[in-house]
Amino acid sequence: MILLVALIAGAAGFYAVPEPWPELSRAEFLDEIRAGHIQSIDIEDQDVIFSESTTRGRFFTKFNKARDAGLPDKLRSLGIEVWYSKSPPGI
């Protein structure tokens, strides 16, 4: 009986965990931007960009604060919404 409950709980936990978002390379991300497939991005913790492409779905890519300093303004000039967020404490 305990084994059955453990198996059911394990299976429920497995299916309740969402799939991780795929990572796009810098080149893939910029290709999606140039093709007009991205309408908004969220820069989290000045470290990672989360977004959704109309062709590829949800994804993330790295954000380098020093290298990408001008990227938010460039994206805004292309009509892309740029948001900033912070991870909740402990994550």
Side-chain angles (χ1 to χ4, degrees):
M1 179 66 173
I2 293 174
L3 180 60
L4 179 61
V5 171
L7 287 173
I8 292 171
F14 176 78
Y15 289 105
V17 175
E19 288 283 323
W21 291 19
E23 181 176 3
L24 293 188
S25 70
R26 181 70 171 187
E28 291 171 316
F29 172 64
L30 295 175
D31 286 346
E32 291 296 303
I33 293 290
R34 282 190 280 279
H37 298 302
I38 296 174
Q39 280 116 23
S40 68
I41 65 164
D42 179 20
I43 301 172
E44 187 172 293
D45 296 332
Q46 297 285 315
D47 187 49
V48 65
I49 294 173
F50 289 100
S51 189
E52 186 169 351
S53 164
T54 56
T55 58
R56 299 180 76 154
R58 294 178 173 176
F59 68 88
F60 76 95
T61 191
K62 303 279 196 258
F63 180 82
N64 180 299
K65 191 175 178 180
R67 179 190 70 195
D68 295 329
L71 182 63
D73 289 335
K74 181 178 179 181
L75 295 178
R76 284 186 188 107
S77 74
L78 297 171
I80 297 170
E81 292 181 20
V82 177
W83 300 91
Y84 292 89
S85 64
K86 287 189 162 273
S87 295
I91 294 181

